[in-house]
Amino acid sequence: MNERESVVFRPFGPAMLNGVLPSSIIKLLDDKASEVLDSEEMSKKYSWAHNLAGNVKKECRYPDNWLNSEEAQPFTVYFSNQVKKYLDDPQVQACFPTGRNPWTQITMTAAWIVSQWGGDFNPAHIHDGMLSGVCYLRMPELEEERSKEDHYPSIANISWFCGNPQNLNLHKFEIMPKVGDFFLFPSWLPHTVYPFRTPNVERRSVSFNVYLK
């Protein structure tokens, strides 16, 4: 047997995709979110809380058929391309029996806004679909509150986890996101969002699910 140099590799665990949204898409999503959230009539009509796990004061979906509108096209086209990029990654391709992406049709279902304020949180949960996405439109200034956490700083963080903690095995990825950050991940991947306590500031994000055919 020929000797070869050893390598470290990771054959297990789900892949995630992370990037930063263009400012134009952040503004598009945020302006439309404000239109819904700031209207008592619309926020009631498009409330999505009954479909979600969050202990959050306002969780609303975008209006009917908005995702299919010309106005929303920059958002939907951008994320369709991000989904293709994810599926074409060699680490993801290796998961397919044929070694290549078998899906040709990408469908984004309802996108919803999570308007999180002091004390709100999202318990551990999973999503529908094949892939899920989350992107961040507003993040509050929490440095003062975070500086008081002396044991396990986690306020306003999102945390994904898979499997059990073991020596030499990562089972969790946790981050305090910044405005513009977005993530794509398998819909079955459990995740949670921690609360913060600072009053009168908002953490605003948008989530969506993707189906593949």
Side-chain angles (χ1 to χ4, degrees), residues 91-103:
Q91 295 180 80
V92 177
Q93 295 268 338
C95 299
F96 304 136
T98 60
R100 62 182 179 84
N101 171 22
W103 292 297

Side-chain angles (χ1 to χ4, degrees), residues 117-118 145 196-202:
W117 297 78
E145 181 180 341
F196 57 89
R197 302 173 186 85
T198 301
N200 304 318
V201 293
E202 182 188 16

Side-chain angles (χ1 to χ4, degrees), residues 33-45:
S34 292
E35 183 181 325
V36 175
L37 296 171
D38 294 345
S39 165
E40 184 176 352
E41 180 182 354
M42 292 182 73
S43 61
K44 285 183 178 179
K45 180 178 180 179

Side-chain angles (χ1 to χ4, degrees), residues 21 29 33 48 52-53 59-62 66-67 75 79 108-116 122 125-128 131-137 158 160 181-185 187 191 193 203-210:
L21 288 172
L29 293 174
W48 206 235
L52 304 175
E59 296 175 302
C60 302
R61 64 181 173 86
Y62 284 99
W66 185 72
L67 291 178
F75 165 61
F79 271 105
M108 183 187 296
T109 59
W112 62 94
I113 310 140
V114 179
S115 178
Q116 181 183 352
N122 242 311
H125 64 286
I126 60 174
H127 287 198
D128 295 328
L131 289 171
S132 291
V134 60
C135 42
Y136 294 89
L137 309 182
I158 182 169
W160 293 266
D181 279 348
F182 72 84
F183 297 89
L184 281 176
F185 53 94
S187 296
H191 52 288
V193 177
R203 178 190 191 276
R204 182 182 291 184
S205 62
V206 169
S207 294
F208 56 88
N209 293 330
V210 174

Side-chain angles (χ1 to χ4, degrees), residues 168-180:
L168 305 178
N169 177 61
L170 294 174
H171 79 292
K172 181 176 68 172
F173 171 63
E174 183 170 318
I175 189 172
M176 177 183 273
K178 298 180 177 64
V179 171

